[in-house]
Amino acid sequence: NGFFPGGRGATTRFQVAIVNNEGEILSSDGFRWTWSSSNPSVIAIDEDGVGTAVGVGTAQVSAETAGLEGLVTVNVNQVPTAFVVTEGAQQTGVVGKSLSAPIGVRLVDAGGAPIAGDTVLFSASAGGTVGTRSAVTGADGIAKTTWQLGTKTADAHRLTATMGAVTLDVPATALPDVPQNRTATGTNQT
């Protein structure tokens, strides 16, 4: 029994060996193995033993040849592999001020399906701040926060979203805080 490496959307090659009653591995040269999955909606497997995790769940993968059979039960989970920006990318804002739109990121697995219920941590560089330091992904895999830029235009302004080993940096362009031009009104005096 085991877990599918990489989770849903990943591919791996299953291997089989012939073992005698003393636990010694025997040569399987010349044998042609027939591969199958008890649940093809969870693990699809081809004639060469290459399996693809197509859904979340449990399946038994078997290999048969010349009256011999090997069988393993495999669980497929969703494993976070990437973030996708869903909202607020490529914004421009004034230093020290909040950006006009929140930043939304979707957490996905290797097959691109959203992952719900995981906690995403947010942080900002260059002295910036985030409105929410952590958010749980919804059914759509999305977590959001607001972002106030730091106070220097020369700094690289980035919001970082993190979930385990998965990280995404979202850059923003910071403009200087220039006061509005003011015009004087009144009468000329001589």
Side-chain angles (χ1 to χ4, degrees):
N1 292 351
F3 289 94
F4 200 93
R8 185 195 163 285
T11 299
T12 193
R13 181 177 179 78
F14 286 87
Q15 296 182 5
V16 65
I18 300 173
V19 180
N20 68 17
N21 59 356
E22 294 179 9
E24 299 169 331
I25 296 176
L26 305 176
S27 173
S28 60
D29 292 343
F31 287 95
R32 175 90 176 120
W33 296 94
T34 302
W35 293 91
S36 65
S37 169
S38 66
N39 192 346
S41 65
V42 173
I43 297 176
I45 193 153
D46 71 12
E47 63 187 25
D48 296 318
V50 176
T52 302
V54 293
V56 174
T58 302
Q60 290 184 329
V61 174
S62 66
E64 292 184 61
T65 189
L68 302 172
E69 180 180 25
L71 182 69
V72 64
T73 300
V74 182
N75 296 308
V76 177
N77 296 321
Q78 280 191 293
V79 176
T81 57
F83 282 111
V84 177
V85 178
T86 60
E87 184 177 357
Q90 301 177 343
Q91 292 189 70
T92 298
V94 175
V95 291
K97 309 271 188 218
S98 292
L99 293 174
S100 60
I103 306 299
V105 295
R106 175 176 285 125
L107 184 62
V108 298
D109 63 17
I115 299 176
D118 279 344
T119 301
V120 176
L121 303 177
F122 293 105
S123 62
S125 68
T129 58
V130 294
T132 303
R133 302 191 92 176
S134 68
V136 176
T137 56
D140 57 2
I142 295 176
K144 294 182 184 183
T145 191
T146 56
W147 178 14
Q148 180 177 318
L149 298 176
T151 59
K152 297 180 182 173
T153 57
D155 291 342
H157 294 264
R158 297 190 181 287
L159 177 135
T160 301
T162 305
M163 202 321 277
V166 180
T167 300
L168 174 71
D169 286 333
V170 180
T173 303
L175 301 175
D177 189 5
V178 179
Q180 302 253 342
N181 289 340
R182 297 178 190 227
T183 56
T185 58
T187 58
N188 283 341
Q189 295 181 3
T190 49

